[in-house]
Each structure stands twice: as C-alpha cells, then as structure tokens.
Amino acid sequence: MSGSITDVGGIRVGHHHAIDADSTLGSGWATGTTVVLTPPGTVGAVDSRGGAPGSRETDLLAPANSVRHVDAVVLTGGSAFGLAAADGVMAWLEEQGRGVALDGGVVPIVPAAVIFDLPVGGWRCRPDAAFGYRAAETAGADAAIGSVGAGVGARAGVLKGGVGTASTTLDSGVTVGALVVVNSAGDVVDPRTGLPWLAAHAEEFGLVAPPADQRSAHSDRHGELSPLNTTIAVVATDAALSKAACSRVAVAAQDGLARTINPCHTPQDGDTVFALATGAVEVNPDPTTPASMTPELPLVTAVGAAAAEVLARAVLVAVLAAERVAGIPTYRELLPGAFA
C-alpha cells in the first residue's frame, strides 16, 4: 500500500544487523546498518535539523561544493562509532569500480548518518566496516522494514522504532520514495488518542482509537523517554534535479518528520534527511515560470511536497512494522486495540 524507495528505478537497499536472542535493554547485540545504493550519476544533497547530528561527508553535499554524485548513503546504529560502517560500503563499492575516478583508482562517495542506540544493546556492541560491507553486498529491490538494519536498536518515543519506507508517483510520471530509521525522542503516537499525530495516516493504515486502558498504559510510559535520539532518512526521486534542487527537496522532506513526530528537531536529536535524484526522468520546465526564477522551480516544489508526504508515511510504516527488541514494547503490543 505504501510502496518502497526502491520503486525509484536503480535504488537498492541492504541491511545487516546483529540481535542476541536473549538480549535485554543494555546488554548484548541490538544494532545494525542500512545502506541505500544508487545508480551511477545520482545527485545528492542533505538537510540536518537536529541539534546533535552524527554524520560523515555531509559538507561535501552542500550545493556550493564540487562533487555532485553519490554512490551510496549509509544509515547506521552505533552513534559516532557506527560511522565506521561506511568504510565497509566504500570497500565494496571500490571493488565494483564505483566512485570518483582518479589516477590511482576510484574514491566512492558515501555520506552517512547515525542514530544513538548504544543504551539498547551492549555499549561496545556497535556496527563496524563489516556491517557496512555485508549490507552493501546484499542490497536489492526488496527493502525489508521494521526491526532490521539500522532500525534494530531504534526507539520511537517509548515504543519500538525501526525502518520504514514508502513511495508515490506524480502525474508527471516522476516517482518519489523515502526510507527512514525512526529513533525519535518525540512520540509518533498521540497519547490522548493512541493514534498517529496525523489523523489522515491513521485512516490510511486502518487504525482506530484503542480502548482507554491501552491509551492510559501508553501514556504512563512517558517517563521512560530517552533524551538522546535521532531520526535519519533518505528520500529519492527519478527526476532530473540539480544539486541545489536536491537540497531544497531535503529541506521540504523534513516536514514529513514534523508531521508525525512530536516534538521533532530537538537539541538532543540529530534529525538528518538525505535527498537523491537519479535523473532518469526529464520533465519539461513550466513555460509560465518567471524568467528570474530557475525553470525547474515547479518540479522541485512538487517533488519536495511528495517527499514530505512519503517520509511521513514511512515513519508510520516503521513503527507499525517494528518487532520487540531488548524488551522495548511495540505499537502492536501496547495498543493492540488500534487494529480492531
């Protein structure tokens, strides 16, 4: 119903994670890495709204800087330690001959962002280069969701977070997709109703207001909220966009987080959204666009609006699909009446 980021032609997703079967909060393995692979020539940009981001190669994506194309994006657990997973993705891409071609070989461009999940598993149990390599080599068109990859140790307020994805196709034929790792300090669910903050999405997923006792149980857990979290995402389109236009799409897509997470973009979050444009679909510029404005302005507006919408849906997909890890309750467990 919601689609997948891999509906954008050439985009592939891979996960690798480690979960101890008997893990409890703060012990054992409960973390992972997710990789979004791009087709050659994909333009990339990024927007970070959280006050505590953990990232790599994001400065390179600024519109004023030289490199335009991105070979992969890494979303990973492990806080700043987890950025090591990008080394493994670079190694895999180098073996494929992907990257900026230089005299001695290629340098793959692999931006990355992390979530803070260290307290969920053992503090020293965090992704390394091997996680990134395995996620890259297993990437495909089937993007698994829920408690997989970087979503294994994720939380969404007091509930289990995870990986979600969604897509849509515009009237122009352009496809827009999103993939998110929901690890938010804020709640995805309104404690007064037991439903997502955005009512339209509750209807889309067939949710109804759960019984009062379940809403109360959810509300009573709010004292467990973690002050250190981050939601990280990738939005992608097959439209032909410039680097500056991709940057505007990343900015617009952040609205999808703000619609479904409350509070969002806090000083303790590192909320970061990457935007990718494969360039496979050319859309003729609107002839009514004023000459003083960029001719791709209407397209950028439409893609940005769609990116926010699919990212909002992907957030809910992540939470609804999540399975229990390290004793963190899921939405389906704590509010089962919403599925009646």
Side-chain angles (χ1 to χ4, degrees):
M1 176 173 62
S2 288
S4 168
I5 193 172
T6 58
D7 293 334
V8 177
I11 297 291
R12 296 293 179 263
V13 173
H15 303 292
H16 182 71
H17 56 255
I19 307 175
D20 286 345
D22 59 348
S23 67
T24 56
L25 199 63
S27 67
W29 283 94
T31 191
T33 297
T34 295
V35 176
V36 178
L37 298 180
T38 67
T42 296
V43 176
V46 67
D47 183 75
S48 183
R49 295 295 171 94
S55 59
R56 164 175 168 159
E57 296 278 36
T58 50
D59 283 352
L60 189 67
L61 301 183
N65 291 336
S66 302
V67 174
R68 295 179 60 232
H69 299 144
V70 170
D71 298 299
V73 175
V74 173
L75 308 177
T76 185
S79 190
F81 296 107
L83 290 171
D87 292 337
V89 180
M90 288 188 70
W92 184 85
L93 287 164
E94 183 182 28
E95 292 174 2
Q96 316 308 310
R98 287 287 305 274
V100 177
L102 300 171
D103 289 343
V106 297
V107 179
I109 304 302
V110 183
V114 301
I115 65 169
F116 183 76
D117 62 353
L118 294 176
V120 176
W123 192 271
R124 295 187 179 276
C125 298
R126 55 224 184 196
D128 57 14
F131 274 64
Y133 190 96
R134 291 169 187 160
E137 69 177 350
T138 60
D142 184 12
I145 58 174
S147 300
V148 296
V152 162
R155 304 182 70 157
V158 298
L159 299 174
K160 184 70 184 72
V163 174
T165 188
S167 69
T168 190
T169 300
L170 307 181
D171 291 342
S172 62
V174 166
T175 299
V176 182
L179 182 137
V180 64
V181 181
V182 183
N183 187 59
S184 56
D187 235 332
V188 174
V189 177
D190 183 344
R192 297 166 299 178
T193 66
L195 294 172
W197 288 103
L198 202 55
H201 287 308
E203 295 175 4
E204 177 185 352
F205 287 96
L207 301 175
V208 298
D213 61 328
Q214 293 178 18
R215 299 198 301 270
S216 178
H218 172 254
S219 184
D220 288 346
R221 298 191 69 116
H222 277 200
E224 304 173 16
L225 283 171
S226 169
L228 293 172
N229 293 83
T230 286
T231 297
I232 50 181
V234 178
V235 295
T237 180
D238 50 15
L241 298 178
S242 66
K243 198 174 178 185
C246 264
S247 180
R248 295 310 309 173
V249 169
V251 169
Q254 290 273 11
D255 289 349
L257 301 184
R259 293 173 193 171
T260 50
I261 299 169
N262 183 30
C264 192
H265 305 145
T266 74
Q268 293 85 14
D269 284 305
D271 299 333
T272 299
V273 177
F274 296 93
L276 304 172
T278 68
V281 178
E282 293 276 356
V283 178
N284 293 328
D286 187 340
T288 65
T289 303
S292 60
M293 297 182 180
T294 173
E296 63 181 351
L297 182 62
L299 175 61
V300 177
T301 300
V303 172
E309 180 62 21
V310 294
L311 185 50
R313 289 189 356 232
V315 168
L316 297 189
V317 168
V319 174
L320 295 179
E323 298 178 349
R324 178 181 282 255
V325 172
I328 304 170
T330 69
Y331 183 86
R332 290 180 177 273
E333 290 173 327
L334 202 56
L335 296 158
F339 299 90

